[in-house]
Amino acid sequence: VDFDDGNCPTFHNQIKGIHNVILAVNNRLPGVPHISQAPVLMLRPRAWNMVEHNMMVEGKEAPGPLFDFGLLMYHCGRTLLKHQSGPFLYLSKVESLMEARLWNNIFVWTQQKLGLPLGCIKATVLIENVLATFEMEEILYELREHSAGLNCGIWDYSASFVNKFGHRQDFLLPDRSKYVNMEKRFLRSYMDLLVQTCHRRGALATGGMAAPLLPQSQQTDSYSRVLASVERLKLLEINAGVDGFMVYDMNLIKPMQELFELHTEGDNQLHQVRDDVSVTPQDLLSMPSGGVTLYGLKYNIAVGVLFINAWLSGKGHFFYRGQVEDSATAEISRSQVWQWIRHQARLEDDGRVVSRQLVTELTKELRTDLSPLCHSERTKQKMHTATDMFLEVVLKRHFPEFITSYLNMDHTFLSSQSTREEETVEAGRQRAKL
């Protein structure tokens, strides 16, 4: 249940989402099985980079993750434990053992306050920062009583290289649409090391998200092509020894389970301790070779603009060219555009330099192309605002650390929340009158 990457953290969204979890846990959602019979809930609070503007503690805005975690645990923790369905958590953007230690202290304190047995909270940590890759053993150790293993993902992790080392020419990341995938040395080494680190200690290691959407008709070439592409990349993860991974499209669950059953034995792959793996710092820090294409530049611009537009509409994800896009893909997209401008990368197509002027022109072209899809003056204005905000982010001299933090502190986004809430209240009044 994602309150982070795929969610826009308006106050309405956070409260509504938490309320839905409470309804599900207390068997008050119609047509949903009892919590003891339903799929296990894994709750993902916001990461440490987010704040909750609507709650003050001792004169300071509350950290977003503690707001989410506190409400979920207070209302659901005891019931989830009673029915052997949690409380289980998924922690994003952890960068160091100190952050893992902080979470562990929070878990211990919470269990004491709620009268829950020590160690009943279990958490999977998403290793999506290059610095955390060098502290995976320590992160597991810090959370040892509460650990449900580690998870790896591709786009936030790739973006973290730009975040931490993007000012250096030797860390120039090539076009992700053409040259970046889990088969590349730096990503393959990261996945192998994560599996080895976890399995040596009996902890579960899970792979990333399959973002493609299957076409509705199974009798088409495009359906077979998308499924084959997902299977190829997920088989790579299975062969690396992962114990599971995520899919967005529910229709992928059955073929992916069949893929696991075909290529693995038992419920997990903990027996694959990967003694054959020997990963060096050079392996983890080696950037793939390749350049920049005009297609890749336009794609990154489109994902960045459409993500900001979705946020201004109160949505945390959107669908584009057969895939689900969220803050992870927006993060890598705007990171690459910023870095290519910074290092004056050249397009493979025609040798043009990726300059501030070129990016501005392409962004305005995109706005013109998207204009027919905006069916009202207000949606046109919103798209106009989204393109302006995207250019503001990628043309900055200094790299904004997280696009979500940047947007969450931006006056335009905050004022758009207020406008939406006023409209919701007004719509409720009108319905009440009727």
Side-chain angles (χ1 to χ4, degrees):
V1 184
D2 187 16
F3 292 95
D4 192 46
D5 275 6
N7 174 56
C8 178
T10 65
F11 196 52
H12 176 268
N13 285 351
Q14 296 305 118
I15 296 299
K16 182 72 172 174
I18 291 166
H19 182 240
N20 284 338
V21 174
I22 294 168
L23 291 178
V25 170
N26 291 284
N27 308 304
R28 287 161 52 196
L29 281 181
V32 172
H34 190 277
I35 190 65
S36 60
Q37 305 300 318
V40 170
L41 292 180
M42 201 157 210
L43 308 169
R44 171 150 82 158
R46 280 170 285 185
W48 287 116
N49 63 307
M50 302 299 281
V51 297
E52 177 50 65
H53 299 297
N54 296 283
M55 184 179 182
M56 303 283 281
V57 180
E58 295 181 0
K60 296 178 183 177
E61 291 176 326
L66 297 190
F67 179 88
D68 301 339
F69 171 79
L71 283 171
L72 290 165
M73 280 301 301
Y74 179 78
H75 290 286
C76 304
R78 192 173 283 104
T79 308
L80 287 169
L81 178 66
K82 179 183 173 184
H83 295 292
Q84 298 183 318
S85 187
F88 302 136
L89 299 161
Y90 182 51
L91 306 177
S92 321
K93 296 182 177 63
V94 172
E95 293 192 8
S96 69
L97 71 95
M98 297 305 291
E99 290 186 15
R101 183 179 297 173
L102 174 59
W103 269 119
N104 197 71
N105 291 340
I106 290 163
F107 294 163
V108 170
W109 183 89
T110 302
Q111 287 161 159
Q112 289 171 348
K113 288 289 181 183
L114 294 178
L116 299 172
L118 186 67
C120 72
I121 295 174
K122 300 295 181 190
T124 295
V125 175
L126 176 49
I127 303 295
E128 57 183 343
N129 187 283
V130 60
L131 303 184
T133 313
F134 290 86
E135 296 190 6
M136 287 195 288
E137 291 183 354
E138 291 84 347
I139 288 169
L140 272 180
Y141 176 79
E142 292 296 342
L143 284 161
R144 58 197 178 280
E145 293 172 324
H146 301 102
S147 181
L150 304 178
N151 171 253
C152 57
I154 180 170
W155 295 131
D156 268 318
Y157 182 74
S158 299
S160 75
F161 279 78
V162 183
N163 189 328
K164 301 302 178 186
F165 312 126
H167 58 287
R168 290 171 52 175
Q169 181 78 38
D170 49 331
F171 281 97
L172 185 66
L173 196 64
D175 191 334
R176 72 182 178 101
S177 58
K178 186 176 181 181
Y179 297 110
V180 181
N181 56 52
M182 289 307 289
E183 294 170 293
K184 299 303 178 185
R185 179 183 167 194
F186 82 115
L187 290 171
R188 182 63 193 257
S189 301
Y190 147 67
M191 181 167 62
D192 286 343
L193 181 61
L194 185 143
V195 171
Q196 183 190 63
T197 303
C198 287
H199 287 184
R200 280 179 173 176
R201 288 154 183 78
L204 296 170
T206 46
M209 166 74 79
L213 305 169
L214 287 173
Q216 288 192 334
S217 173
Q218 296 186 19
Q219 317 307 320
T220 59
D221 289 342
S222 59
Y223 182 94
S224 304
R225 191 168 58 251
V226 171
L227 184 58
S229 171
V230 174
E231 285 181 339
R232 186 182 71 81
L233 289 172
K234 289 306 170 188
L235 190 55
L236 188 79
E237 295 182 18
I238 290 172
N239 291 335
V242 301
D243 303 295
F245 45 68
M246 291 176 287
V247 297
Y248 182 83
D249 190 333
M250 301 287 276
N251 294 317
L252 279 168
I253 292 175
K254 190 176 178 186
M256 291 303 104
Q257 284 179 331
E258 289 170 353
L259 195 69
F260 254 103
E261 288 165 7
L262 191 63
H263 295 278
T264 65
E265 298 173 6
D267 294 334
N268 55 57
Q269 298 200 81
L270 288 172
H271 58 283
Q272 299 273 16
V273 290
R274 297 304 310 271
D275 287 332
D276 58 309
V277 169
S278 178
V279 175
T280 65
Q282 288 71 31
D283 291 327
L284 294 170
L285 298 174
S286 63
M287 291 292 92
S289 57
V292 180
T293 67
L294 182 60
Y295 171 85
L297 178 58
K298 285 183 171 182
Y299 190 89
N300 279 345
I301 291 171
V303 170
V305 168
L306 290 171
F307 175 75
I308 295 172
N309 185 65
W311 260 52
L312 293 174
S313 308
K315 297 171 185 171
H317 63 278
F318 61 97
F319 305 106
Y320 184 63
R321 296 189 180 178
Q323 293 209 135
V324 61
E325 308 281 359
D326 62 8
S327 73
T329 49
E331 199 68 83
I332 184 63
S333 296
R334 66 97 188 187
S335 297
Q336 288 210 297
V337 176
W338 179 90
Q339 194 186 34
W340 294 341
I341 295 171
R342 164 90 183 213
H343 296 294
Q344 297 185 306
R346 288 189 177 274
L347 295 177
E348 292 178 347
D349 311 68
D350 51 22
R352 279 185 292 172
V353 172
V354 181
S355 62
R356 294 165 67 95
Q357 184 180 349
L358 176 61
V359 169
T360 301
E361 287 170 1
L362 291 175
T363 305
K364 288 179 178 175
E365 275 179 28
L366 173 73
R367 182 165 67 200
T368 305
D369 293 342
L370 293 173
S371 192
L373 302 175
C374 301
H375 302 302
S376 70
E377 195 56 41
R378 182 151 181 212
T379 53
K380 280 183 185 175
Q381 183 56 46
K382 198 184 298 170
M383 186 63 72
H384 203 286
T385 304
T387 54
D388 288 346
M389 290 174 75
F390 174 77
L391 286 172
E392 189 181 307
V393 171
V394 297
L395 299 182
K396 273 187 171 294
R397 179 175 180 177
H398 298 291
F399 185 78
E401 193 169 9
F402 296 104
I403 190 170
T404 47
S405 304
Y406 191 83
L407 294 175
N408 197 42
M409 302 302 289
D410 189 272
H411 171 72
T412 308
F413 170 65
L414 296 176
S415 59
S416 73
Q417 278 196 58
S418 303
T419 307
R420 272 196 313 277
E421 283 166 13
E422 285 168 13
E423 288 172 350
T424 304
V425 170
E426 187 57 37
R429 284 201 192 108
Q430 288 172 1
R431 279 197 298 273
K433 285 175 188 173
L434 287 170

